[in-house]
Amino acid sequence: MLTDLKEAVFKANMELAKSGLVIMTFGNVSGIDRRKGIVAIKPSGVAYDALKADDIVLVDLEGQVVEGWLNPSSDTPTHCEIYKAFPEVGGVAHAHSVYATTFAQARREIPCYGTTHADSFHGPIPLTRLLVESEVAEGYERNTGKVIVERFAGLDPLALPGVLVAGHGPFAWGRTPDEAVETSVILEQVAAMAFGTITLAPRLAPLDRHIMEKHYLRKHGPDAYYGQKKEEDR
């Protein structure tokens, strides 16, 4: 069942580990088949060097296992909430990468200080609120997804394809599992640059908006001209 999706999610998980963003088993990637409403996700606590494509677990959008003999990631309900709220998203990645997690633990969003950030994120990287005690006591992982969705009220999740969960760490997404991993890598690099920028210039204001807009829209806007045209557009 959904062999291609499981293979894509397996490869994306291996890329996340290869990127250096994951130590031990601190990370997971998922993907979704929108037509069937099935999510494929890494099993919980399985070491990356032991992971196989057949180990990837299939769940429905309520997190119930529909195929697999291993427990799905403990973060599965968070991924499912993101998929339910953001229909354009096809892959979600989570890692406790050092710099992005540092900002999450400091409860600070990541300002846009330069064009590297603006190339991929249309504004500062959002920060959620902390979960209250009752949200942690019951349905913690699902409520983590809900505070992400709450934070994105009025925001475009594809223009800002990542978030910092306060006290926890980053989640990133994209149209595919591979794209979600790529976003995770960019988010960590942007976080490292922002951390260095704040260290050197604590009072620096964010990048002027007209520069930020130029860099984002030349790559993502309707008149984008960065890169090469896709074959179907030629």
Side-chain angles (χ1 to χ4, degrees):
M1 183 178 180
L2 298 177
T3 302
D4 290 347
L5 178 63
K6 290 171 68 172
E7 183 68 25
V9 168
F10 165 70
K11 288 180 178 178
N13 273 282
M14 298 310 289
E15 281 300 313
L16 186 68
K18 184 179 175 182
S19 73
L21 300 189
V22 174
I23 62 166
M24 308 295 284
T25 59
F26 300 172
N28 44 73
V29 184
S30 68
I32 187 170
D33 183 310
R34 286 286 178 185
R35 187 171 60 84
K36 294 184 177 179
I38 299 296
V39 173
I41 194 164
K42 180 184 180 291
S44 180
V46 174
Y48 281 92
D49 59 5
L51 187 66
K52 304 183 297 296
D54 283 346
D55 296 331
I56 299 300
V57 185
L58 300 181
V59 301
D60 62 23
L61 278 169
E62 297 307 314
Q64 299 300 309
V65 175
V66 297
E67 180 182 297
W69 53 88
L70 296 168
N71 293 328
S73 167
S74 58
D75 292 313
T76 297
T78 306
H79 289 239
C80 288
E81 289 300 312
I82 292 170
Y83 286 126
K84 286 192 287 187
F86 305 153
E88 307 93 340
V89 169
V92 177
H94 173 52
H96 292 254
S97 53
V98 173
Y99 286 97
T101 301
T102 297
F103 274 91
Q105 291 181 168
R107 303 176 204 170
R108 291 188 60 170
E109 68 178 20
I110 303 176
C112 179
Y113 286 120
T115 61
T116 307
H117 181 132
D119 280 340
S120 298
F121 296 94
H122 197 203
I125 295 166
L127 172 75
T128 72
R129 63 172 174 84
L130 285 171
L131 277 72
V132 300
E133 188 173 353
S134 61
E135 291 171 323
V136 173
E138 186 172 349
Y140 169 60
E141 290 83 4
R142 190 166 300 282
N143 286 327
T144 299
K146 287 183 181 295
V147 298
I148 292 172
V149 174
E150 173 190 292
R151 179 63 183 85
F152 270 76
L155 300 177
D156 180 351
L158 289 185
L160 288 165
V163 67
L164 305 175
V165 177
H168 185 163
F171 283 81
W173 48 79
R175 296 185 185 276
T176 65
D178 279 348
E179 193 174 292
V181 172
E182 181 179 314
T183 305
S184 291
V185 173
I186 295 169
L187 175 53
E188 177 64 6
Q189 188 70 14
V190 164
M193 291 177 174
F195 185 89
T197 301
I198 292 167
T199 301
L200 290 172
R203 295 186 178 87
L204 184 71
L207 186 68
D208 289 352
R209 187 161 189 87
H210 63 278
I211 303 176
M212 184 195 75
E213 290 287 330
K214 178 65 176 180
H215 270 261
Y216 183 81
L217 294 175
R218 73 174 189 163
K219 192 171 182 180
H220 302 281
D223 298 320
Y225 57 88
Y226 176 90
Q228 303 303 315
K229 290 184 179 181
K230 296 179 181 177
E231 190 66 33
E232 61 267 25
D233 296 332
R234 292 178 182 173

